[in-house]
Amino acid sequence: MAIDFRNPDPLYLSFWRERHLCTLTTLRPDGTPHVVPVGVTYDPEAGLARVITNKTSRKVANVLAAGPDGAPVSVCQWADVRWATLEGRAVIRTDAARVEDAVRRYAERYERTPSPNPDRVLIEIALTRALGRVTDPRLRAPRQ
């Protein structure tokens, strides 16, 4: 189901604020998908998703290989029957202010501050689409 990523409904936004491991899908230079677990923060007001990582990671190399216009990527999270996906174009950001802001957002969502890392960079995703199926888990029908 399509979601307005700049103005998501409260349940969708709440789901992205819960502590869940996510996946990031990038494309390798040969076009095959590379899927890895990551922490993601979602900022609907800015239309961005953010992933902090090491500058030497394969996911960073995949984004950089796509060129200056960025790489098409998606991030996804799920919990039981709820799921949410954000899609967009990713670029690598190295400036300290953006990286620190991303670390702060990560710490807020995941309730832990990452260890200092001088090689940390930001994968910044300019969102183009949001999908998902998010309902109040208390309303879920019991399994038969």
Side-chain angles (χ1 to χ4, degrees):
M1 172 173 26
I3 308 288
D4 179 354
F5 65 83
R6 287 211 178 254
N7 189 27
D9 69 63
L11 282 176
Y12 191 83
L13 186 57
S14 176
F15 185 50
W16 275 104
R17 290 184 175 150
E18 293 173 12
R19 189 176 187 269
H20 295 291
L21 188 62
C22 304
T23 60
L24 168 69
T25 302
T26 60
L27 297 176
R28 296 180 183 98
D30 68 3
T32 59
H34 177 255
V35 183
V36 293
V38 294
V40 176
T41 61
Y42 170 37
D43 181 356
E45 294 81 21
L48 297 174
R50 297 175 178 91
V51 175
I52 55 175
T53 189
N54 196 296
K55 69 182 180 183
T56 61
S57 70
R58 167 50 49 198
K59 54 191 165 286
V60 168
N62 291 343
V63 171
L64 291 172
D69 291 334
V73 302
S74 66
V75 290
C76 182
Q77 70 176 18
W78 65 95
D80 198 24
V81 298
R82 300 179 299 156
W83 65 273
T85 298
L86 299 170
E87 298 176 358
R89 293 205 75 82
V91 295
I92 304 304
R93 304 288 189 199
T94 59
D95 65 275
R98 285 191 182 185
V99 173
E100 280 307 309
D101 179 58
V103 168
R104 179 190 59 76
R105 291 170 186 272
Y106 177 97
E108 183 178 295
R109 179 175 187 199
Y110 290 97
E111 300 174 342
R112 75 170 200 83
T113 301
S115 300
N117 178 355
D119 292 331
R120 182 173 288 128
V121 296
L122 167 62
I123 300 175
E124 186 179 81
I125 305 164
L127 299 175
T128 57
R129 180 179 297 158
L131 307 163
R133 183 178 175 140
V134 179
T135 58
D136 187 331
R138 297 170 297 184
L139 301 177
R140 197 183 104 201
R143 291 185 182 168
Q144 305 261 335

